[in-house]
Amino acid sequence: AGAGAGCPVLCTCRGQAVDCSGQRLFSVPPELPLDTGNLSLAHNRIASIPPGYLACYGQLRALDLRNNSLAALPAGGAFRGLAQLRELDLSYGGLSAISLDALEGLPGLVGLRLGGNPWVCGCAMEPFLKWLRGRIQRCASGSFQACHLTLTLDDYLFIAFVGFVVSIASVATNFLLGITANCCHRWSKASEDEDV
């Protein structure tokens, strides 16, 4: 962005607030004023944030990306250099997973909204969830209500292995019980023969 960048087309600028919400944008505006402190790109059709796009906007404190078509965030590139960012809204998009790298460079982040995304919850999300619990003061408890639990290939292999082991143990147990019953029957028959 150039030092003298004005208000982007289709956006409204008031002081340090830039509002580009509800404009049916498919991509982020090419340039923003360098002193942008509050940026709303909500209710658009934005599918990606180019790596390094926000790096020049070090005064950004609030970023609203809710209700867009974001399916993924670039690891580390998307929010790098936003040390002042306190509020981030990524709700109601297309995110199924989020990399911890995408958010670790935000030391000032206190509010994060993630609800309404089609999360795929599995072991890969664990580091992110631990980070979330330890760092973010305000994160809606319902953020992961739409979580869909999926099993990985490793999970299926483990289940198959356990099933196989249980089957073998069951067959072995039945075999031993059969032998024991047969031995008891023979011993009982032998005892009856001796008594006669």
Side-chain angles (χ1 to χ4, degrees), residues 55-106:
C56 293
Y57 308 107
Q59 295 182 45
L60 196 61
R61 292 178 302 282
L63 177 58
D64 188 352
L65 287 162
R66 71 191 138 115
N67 199 18
N68 270 290
S69 302
L70 289 173
L73 296 173
F79 305 118
R80 183 157 296 172
L82 300 180
Q84 302 297 318
L85 192 69
R86 298 182 56 77
E87 299 287 333
L88 177 59
D89 193 337
L90 295 170
S91 58
Y92 299 97
L95 295 172
S96 59
I98 191 166
S99 167
L100 188 52
D101 292 349
L103 300 175
E104 272 186 323
L106 300 173

Side-chain angles (χ1 to χ4, degrees), residues 5-194:
C7 196
V9 177
L10 300 177
C11 299
T12 305
C13 299
R14 288 190 183 94
Q16 291 186 314
V18 178
D19 184 1
C20 305
S21 60
Q23 298 299 319
R24 299 181 183 165
L25 300 175
F26 287 94
S27 60
V28 294
E31 291 185 350
L32 301 169
L34 286 178
D35 65 348
T36 299
N38 186 331
L39 174 60
S40 178
L41 294 168
H43 310 292
N44 282 298
R45 299 172 183 169
I46 298 169
S48 67
I49 307 268
Y53 170 74
L54 296 166
C56 293
Y57 308 107
Q59 295 182 45
L60 196 61
R61 292 178 302 282
L63 177 58
D64 188 352
L65 287 162
R66 71 191 138 115
N67 199 18
N68 270 290
S69 302
L70 289 173
L73 296 173
F79 305 118
R80 183 157 296 172
L82 300 180
Q84 302 297 318
L85 192 69
R86 298 182 56 77
E87 299 287 333
L88 177 59
D89 193 337
L90 295 170
S91 58
Y92 299 97
L95 295 172
S96 59
I98 191 166
S99 167
L100 188 52
D101 292 349
L103 300 175
E104 272 186 323
L106 300 173
L109 194 64
V110 293
L112 180 61
R113 290 178 187 82
L114 298 167
N117 283 291
W119 299 110
V120 174
C121 301
C123 295
M125 284 282 280
E126 189 175 349
F128 170 70
L129 294 174
K130 282 182 181 175
W131 176 86
L132 195 62
R133 277 186 238 120
R135 281 275 326 279
I136 304 301
Q137 296 172 13
R138 292 192 308 272
C139 185
S141 59
S143 293
F144 297 97
Q145 279 183 338
C147 237
H148 302 292
L149 184 61
T150 61
L151 299 176
T152 65
L153 179 61
D154 290 342
D155 296 329
Y156 285 115
L157 290 174
F158 178 75
I159 291 168
F161 174 74
V162 169
F164 176 74
V165 169
V166 168
S167 297
I168 295 297
S170 175
V171 168
T173 301
N174 286 333
F175 179 73
L176 290 173
L177 286 174
I179 289 175
T180 304
N182 191 17
C183 287
C184 287
H185 178 68
R186 286 185 182 177
W187 181 74
S188 175
K189 186 130 173 109
S191 293
E192 286 177 8
D193 289 344
E194 285 180 8

